[in-house]
Amino acid sequence: MKIAMIGHKRIPSREGGIEIVVEELATKMVAEGHDVYVYNRAGHHVSGAENDVEIGKMYKGIHIITVPTSEKKSLNATIYSVLATLHAVFHHYDVIHFHASGPCAMLWLPHILGIRTVATIHGIDSQRAKWGGFATRYLEFGEKCAAKYADELIVLSEGNKKFFKDTYGREATLIPNGIGKPEILEAQEITEQFGLKKDDYILFLARIVPEKGLHYLIKAYKQIHTDKKLVIVGGTSHSNDYVSKIKKAAREDDRIMLLGFQQGQILEELYSNAYLYVLPSDVEGMPISLLEAMSYGNCCLVSDINETAGVVADKGITFKKGDVDDLKDKLVQLLDNKNEVCAYKEQAADYVLSKYNWDDVVARTINLYKCGLKAL
C-alpha cells in the first residue's frame, strides 16, 4: 500500500509521543514492503537543533515530505495541517493516516474526495490546560471530524474509547502503543555531566506542560526530607508562562535539577538508573515515557487516571489525581521502603514488554487499512 501520515512535528524526533509512534509505525510498515510518506513540519526543533530531513529525502526507507508553516505557535499546527492535507489528496495514497485531534480538522477533505482515512487520537487534546479558547474549539472541531468522517478511528486507552462513544456516539478501535526492549546502561555520562548516580534521584520525564502535573510533584517533593534529587527532563510546548513558574519553583530548592530536553545515551542512562519514575498527569493519551520507564525496569508512581493507572496495573503504584498530599504520602512510602521499590522494579519490564508490542500494533493498524480497501 501507499500510505501517508500527517499530524506529527517531524521524524526523527523525540519531541513527543506522537513523533515516536509515527516513526515506529512507518519504519515497521516499510520493512513489510509498504510505501510510506510522512509529512514533517518545518521549523525549530525542541532540542535546539535544526535537523529536519530535507524534502524528497529518505529516512529508514520512509519518504519525507517537509511542509512549511508559521513559526507563530497559534498558527503553526493549523497551517501545517492544511498544507499537508492539500498535498496528500493529490498524490494517490491508498490511506491517509491522521494523528491527533488538531490535524483531524482537515480530515473532511480526503473523505469527500473518496480517499480512505484513518485517525489516531493520541489523547483528548481539547482538555489540555495549555490551550486557549480558539485553540480548544479548533481541537474540538478536529475531534468531531475524526468521529464523523474517519473510516477507522483508533484510540489508545479505554478512557478515550468511552469519551468518543459518550460524546459523539462513535465506536473506536483500541490499539495501545507498543514498546521495545531497551539496553540498560550504567551511569556514566549523567555522572560526568550532572553528578547523578544510580538510585540517587527521582525522575520526571515528559513535556513541561500543565497537564503533565509537574507542579503537583514539585510541591509534594518540597515537603519531603530526602537526599534523593528530583530530576526533571523534558522540552516545552506552547506553555512559556507555565515553564517560568516551574523554573521559579525549582530555584527555591537546590535538590531539584532541570535538565531540559535530553535524548540518546543521556536519556537511556537516566531511565536506567532512576530510583523512582513519577508521572502525575491530569490528562494523557497513552504516555510513551511511562512505557519506556517500565521497560527499563523502573518503579513507577502515576496518577490514578485510567490512561496511566491502566498501564502500570498492579506493577506500579498510583495516587489520587491532583492530590498533593496523597502524592507526598506515596513518595514517602516508596522512599522509606526500598524493598517495595525493588519488588516493583523486578516485575515492571517483563510485564510491559509482554503486553505492549510494536509488531502487534503495526499488524492491527495494517489490518484496519486493508479492511477498507477490500470493501472498495
Side-chain angles (χ1 to χ4, degrees):
M1 286 181 291
K2 187 177 180 182
I3 302 159
M5 295 199 184
I6 295 173
H8 60 293
K9 291 184 178 71
R10 60 190 61 78
I11 66 167
S13 172
R14 288 191 56 92
E15 291 174 81
I18 295 175
E19 286 69 41
I20 296 169
V21 170
V22 169
E23 180 172 344
E24 288 285 351
L25 291 176
T27 302
K28 292 183 182 300
M29 288 176 182
V30 165
E32 293 184 8
H34 300 288
D35 203 12
V36 183
Y37 294 72
V38 303
Y39 284 79
N40 275 6
R41 201 182 306 184
H44 179 71
H45 191 287
V46 70
S47 69
E50 304 298 334
N51 63 347
D52 291 320
V53 179
E54 293 180 18
I55 188 167
K57 299 295 183 180
M58 301 282 284
Y59 170 70
K60 294 184 177 180
I62 306 162
H63 301 273
I64 303 294
I65 302 171
T66 301
V67 179
T69 187
S70 171
E71 285 298 318
K72 190 174 181 180
K73 292 178 180 178
S74 58
L75 298 175
N76 182 285
T78 303
I79 292 173
Y80 156 78
S81 301
V82 171
L83 295 179
T85 304
L86 286 173
H87 184 279
V89 297
F90 290 105
H91 283 76
H92 309 292
Y93 296 113
D94 294 309
V95 178
I96 302 177
H97 190 157
F98 288 83
H99 293 265
S101 302
C104 285
M106 286 300 297
L107 195 147
W108 58 270
L109 179 59
H111 172 78
I112 65 173
L113 295 175
I115 302 168
R116 182 161 178 80
T117 57
V118 173
T120 295
I121 302 298
H122 294 254
I124 310 305
D125 289 337
S126 60
Q127 297 176 356
R128 299 185 191 274
K130 66 184 177 183
W131 304 115
F134 172 76
T136 298
R137 290 192 294 273
Y138 183 78
L139 292 167
E140 289 174 344
F141 177 69
E143 289 170 7
K144 291 176 184 177
C145 284
K148 185 174 182 179
Y149 298 121
D151 293 297
E152 299 288 349
L153 177 63
I154 298 170
V155 293
L156 308 183
S157 69
E158 288 289 352
N160 289 352
K161 182 175 182 179
K162 184 176 186 298
F163 171 84
F164 273 93
K165 179 64 174 177
D166 293 347
T167 306
Y168 301 109
R170 174 66 193 258
E171 293 287 353
T173 300
L174 173 60
I175 304 180
N177 289 328
I179 194 66
K181 185 176 182 179
E183 180 183 359
I184 309 300
L185 301 181
E186 294 183 358
Q188 295 179 354
E189 290 291 327
I190 62 172
T191 303
E192 293 175 11
Q193 293 197 33
F194 310 117
L196 296 172
K197 299 178 181 179
K198 185 172 180 59
D199 286 341
D200 76 347
Y201 60 94
I202 298 164
L203 178 64
F204 170 93
L205 199 156
R207 284 175 296 118
I208 312 301
V209 291
E211 65 268 17
K212 297 294 183 180
L214 176 55
H215 49 293
Y216 305 134
L217 177 56
I218 291 176
K219 189 172 181 179
Y221 175 80
K222 284 182 173 182
Q223 300 176 46
I224 296 171
H225 298 290
T226 179
D227 292 332
K228 295 195 188 298
K229 301 175 181 68
L230 173 58
V231 174
I232 297 168
V233 181
T236 63
S237 176
H238 304 281
S239 54
N240 290 340
D241 290 343
Y242 181 73
V243 173
S244 296
K245 292 177 182 177
I246 292 298
K247 288 180 177 178
K248 181 179 182 296
R251 285 194 297 268
E252 296 169 353
D253 190 324
D254 59 11
R255 301 172 300 167
I256 300 176
M257 302 177 65
L258 290 169
L259 303 190
F261 177 81
Q262 299 292 338
Q263 56 188 345
Q265 181 172 341
I266 288 178
L267 179 67
E268 293 168 18
E269 288 185 16
L270 287 167
Y271 273 132
S272 297
N273 295 283
Y275 177 79
L276 176 66
Y277 170 89
V278 185
L279 187 62
S281 302
D282 286 330
V283 180
E284 280 290 354
M286 186 177 192
I288 289 285
S289 63
L290 176 56
L291 295 179
E292 289 178 335
M294 294 187 73
S295 75
Y296 278 88
N298 277 290
C299 174
C300 296
L301 170 60
V302 302
S303 55
D304 63 356
I305 60 174
N306 174 269
E307 291 77 9
T308 52
V311 172
V312 301
D314 61 350
K315 305 302 185 292
I317 189 166
T318 65
F319 73 96
K320 186 177 179 181
K321 181 189 80 168
D323 189 328
V324 172
D325 289 336
D326 192 32
L327 175 54
K328 180 192 71 174
D329 291 344
K330 295 297 172 54
L331 284 169
V332 170
Q333 173 185 329
L334 293 171
L335 288 167
D336 288 348
N337 193 338
K338 187 175 181 179
N339 289 337
E340 182 179 3
V341 170
C342 289
Y344 284 124
K345 286 187 172 188
E346 288 173 0
Q347 303 175 68
D350 288 344
Y351 172 76
V352 79
L353 290 169
S354 66
K355 186 172 182 181
Y356 300 101
N357 181 282
W358 277 122
D359 290 335
D360 179 58
V361 172
V362 171
R364 294 178 64 192
T365 303
I366 289 291
N367 187 56
L368 290 183
Y369 294 170
K370 288 182 175 179
C371 286
L373 293 176
K374 289 175 183 177
L376 295 174

mmCIF file of all heavy atoms in Angstrom, residues 4 14 24 31 38 41 45 106 149 218 229 239 267 270 306 331:
data_model
loop_
_atom_site.group_PDB
_atom_site.id
_atom_site.type_symbol
_atom_site.label_atom_id
_atom_site.label_comp_id
_atom_site.label_asym_id
_atom_site.label_seq_id
_atom_site.Cartn_x
_atom_site.Cartn_y
_atom_site.Cartn_z
ATOM 1 N N ALA A 4 0.134 7.568 3.691
ATOM 2 C CA ALA A 4 0.596 8.877 4.156
ATOM 3 C C ALA A 4 0.283 9.025 5.642
ATOM 4 O O ALA A 4 -0.745 8.541 6.123
ATOM 5 C CB ALA A 4 -0.076 9.993 3.375
ATOM 6 N N ARG A 14 12.232 13.044 19.227
ATOM 7 C CA ARG A 14 11.608 12.606 20.469
ATOM 8 C C ARG A 14 10.871 13.782 21.114
ATOM 9 O O ARG A 14 10.762 13.851 22.336
ATOM 10 C CB ARG A 14 12.663 12.059 21.440
ATOM 11 C CG ARG A 14 13.232 10.699 21.039
ATOM 12 C CD ARG A 14 14.050 10.128 22.187
ATOM 13 N NE ARG A 14 13.258 10.045 23.394
ATOM 14 C CZ ARG A 14 12.544 8.977 23.779
ATOM 15 N NH1 ARG A 14 12.551 7.891 23.030
ATOM 16 N NH2 ARG A 14 11.855 8.996 24.907
ATOM 17 N N GLU A 24 7.891 4.640 14.622
ATOM 18 C CA GLU A 24 7.811 3.182 14.802
ATOM 19 C C GLU A 24 6.883 2.550 13.770
ATOM 20 O O GLU A 24 7.223 1.533 13.149
ATOM 21 C CB GLU A 24 7.317 2.860 16.215
ATOM 22 C CG GLU A 24 8.335 3.133 17.312
ATOM 23 C CD GLU A 24 9.442 2.102 17.375
ATOM 24 O OE1 GLU A 24 9.347 1.066 16.689
ATOM 25 O OE2 GLU A 24 10.411 2.337 18.114
ATOM 26 N N ALA A 31 9.368 -1.898 6.396
ATOM 27 C CA ALA A 31 10.031 -3.205 6.462
ATOM 28 C C ALA A 31 9.128 -4.319 5.935
ATOM 29 O O ALA A 31 9.631 -5.350 5.450
ATOM 30 C CB ALA A 31 10.446 -3.511 7.898
ATOM 31 N N VAL A 38 5.718 10.425 5.100
ATOM 32 C CA VAL A 38 5.358 11.168 6.305
ATOM 33 C C VAL A 38 5.553 12.657 6.057
ATOM 34 O O VAL A 38 6.522 13.075 5.416
ATOM 35 C CB VAL A 38 6.153 10.710 7.545
ATOM 36 C CG1 VAL A 38 5.971 9.225 7.802
ATOM 37 C CG2 VAL A 38 7.626 11.034 7.415
ATOM 38 N N ARG A 41 6.880 18.632 9.766
ATOM 39 C CA ARG A 41 6.631 20.059 9.929
ATOM 40 C C ARG A 41 7.967 20.794 9.961
ATOM 41 O O ARG A 41 8.843 20.457 10.763
ATOM 42 C CB ARG A 41 5.864 20.286 11.235
ATOM 43 C CG ARG A 41 5.114 21.589 11.327
ATOM 44 C CD ARG A 41 4.438 21.730 12.686
ATOM 45 N NE ARG A 41 3.582 20.620 13.044
ATOM 46 C CZ ARG A 41 2.842 20.584 14.152
ATOM 47 N NH1 ARG A 41 2.866 21.599 15.000
ATOM 48 N NH2 ARG A 41 2.096 19.529 14.412
ATOM 49 N N HIS A 45 13.374 22.776 16.198
ATOM 50 C CA HIS A 45 13.332 21.515 16.949
ATOM 51 C C HIS A 45 13.471 21.825 18.438
ATOM 52 O O HIS A 45 14.245 22.686 18.830
ATOM 53 C CB HIS A 45 14.469 20.605 16.474
ATOM 54 C CG HIS A 45 14.386 19.199 16.956
ATOM 55 N ND1 HIS A 45 14.646 18.862 18.263
ATOM 56 C CD2 HIS A 45 14.073 18.045 16.329
ATOM 57 C CE1 HIS A 45 14.508 17.553 18.406
ATOM 58 N NE2 HIS A 45 14.160 17.034 17.245
ATOM 59 N N MET A 106 -8.759 18.643 9.223
ATOM 60 C CA MET A 106 -8.740 18.615 7.753
ATOM 61 C C MET A 106 -9.167 17.270 7.177
ATOM 62 O O MET A 106 -9.149 17.077 5.963
ATOM 63 C CB MET A 106 -7.328 18.949 7.265
ATOM 64 C CG MET A 106 -6.958 20.416 7.396
ATOM 65 S SD MET A 106 -8.065 21.518 6.463
ATOM 66 C CE MET A 106 -7.752 20.970 4.773
ATOM 67 N N TYR A 149 -16.051 11.538 10.153
ATOM 68 C CA TYR A 149 -15.595 11.259 8.794
ATOM 69 C C TYR A 149 -14.544 10.163 8.668
ATOM 70 O O TYR A 149 -14.398 9.585 7.588
ATOM 71 C CB TYR A 149 -15.027 12.532 8.164
ATOM 72 C CG TYR A 149 -16.041 13.643 8.022
ATOM 73 C CD1 TYR A 149 -15.843 14.879 8.637
ATOM 74 C CD2 TYR A 149 -17.202 13.469 7.271
ATOM 75 C CE1 TYR A 149 -16.763 15.904 8.511
ATOM 76 C CE2 TYR A 149 -18.134 14.491 7.137
ATOM 77 C CZ TYR A 149 -17.905 15.707 7.761
ATOM 78 O OH TYR A 149 -18.827 16.721 7.640
ATOM 79 N N ILE A 218 6.458 18.875 42.250
ATOM 80 C CA ILE A 218 7.398 19.793 42.894
ATOM 81 C C ILE A 218 6.883 20.205 44.268
ATOM 82 O O ILE A 218 7.640 20.225 45.255
ATOM 83 C CB ILE A 218 7.650 21.024 42.002
ATOM 84 C CG1 ILE A 218 8.447 20.622 40.751
ATOM 85 C CG2 ILE A 218 8.394 22.113 42.781
ATOM 86 C CD1 ILE A 218 8.670 21.750 39.771
ATOM 87 N N LYS A 229 17.607 13.494 44.689
ATOM 88 C CA LYS A 229 17.285 14.664 43.886
ATOM 89 C C LYS A 229 16.001 14.418 43.093
ATOM 90 O O LYS A 229 15.607 13.272 42.845
ATOM 91 C CB LYS A 229 18.439 14.978 42.940
ATOM 92 C CG LYS A 229 19.759 15.258 43.650
ATOM 93 C CD LYS A 229 20.880 15.431 42.638
ATOM 94 C CE LYS A 229 22.208 15.678 43.338
ATOM 95 N NZ LYS A 229 22.679 14.484 44.077
ATOM 96 N N SER A 239 3.787 26.685 26.226
ATOM 97 C CA SER A 239 3.487 26.836 27.650
ATOM 98 C C SER A 239 4.553 27.659 28.370
ATOM 99 O O SER A 239 5.023 27.274 29.432
ATOM 100 C CB SER A 239 3.361 25.455 28.299
ATOM 101 O OG SER A 239 4.517 24.669 28.035
ATOM 102 N N LEU A 267 19.642 10.123 27.901
ATOM 103 C CA LEU A 267 18.266 9.718 28.193
ATOM 104 C C LEU A 267 18.217 8.261 28.645
ATOM 105 O O LEU A 267 17.548 7.924 29.631
ATOM 106 C CB LEU A 267 17.400 9.913 26.950
ATOM 107 C CG LEU A 267 15.929 9.504 27.085
ATOM 108 C CD1 LEU A 267 15.206 10.419 28.065
ATOM 109 C CD2 LEU A 267 15.233 9.525 25.732
ATOM 110 N N LEU A 270 19.481 7.963 32.138
ATOM 111 C CA LEU A 270 18.520 8.496 33.112
ATOM 112 C C LEU A 270 17.437 7.464 33.430
ATOM 113 O O LEU A 270 17.076 7.255 34.595
ATOM 114 C CB LEU A 270 17.890 9.783 32.576
ATOM 115 C CG LEU A 270 18.788 11.017 32.577
ATOM 116 C CD1 LEU A 270 18.176 12.128 31.737
ATOM 117 C CD2 LEU A 270 19.029 11.513 34.009
ATOM 118 N N ASN A 306 -7.237 6.652 34.203
ATOM 119 C CA ASN A 306 -7.245 5.369 33.504
ATOM 120 C C ASN A 306 -6.040 5.183 32.597
ATOM 121 O O ASN A 306 -5.471 4.085 32.498
ATOM 122 C CB ASN A 306 -8.541 5.250 32.686
ATOM 123 C CG ASN A 306 -8.580 4.016 31.814
ATOM 124 O OD1 ASN A 306 -8.161 4.043 30.664
ATOM 125 N ND2 ASN A 306 -9.090 2.926 32.372
ATOM 126 N N LEU A 331 5.155 9.159 47.843
ATOM 127 C CA LEU A 331 6.593 9.368 47.683
ATOM 128 C C LEU A 331 7.345 8.939 48.944
ATOM 129 O O LEU A 331 8.360 8.229 48.867
ATOM 130 C CB LEU A 331 6.884 10.839 47.381
ATOM 131 C CG LEU A 331 6.585 11.337 45.962
ATOM 132 C CD1 LEU A 331 6.678 12.859 45.901
ATOM 133 C CD2 LEU A 331 7.541 10.711 44.946
#
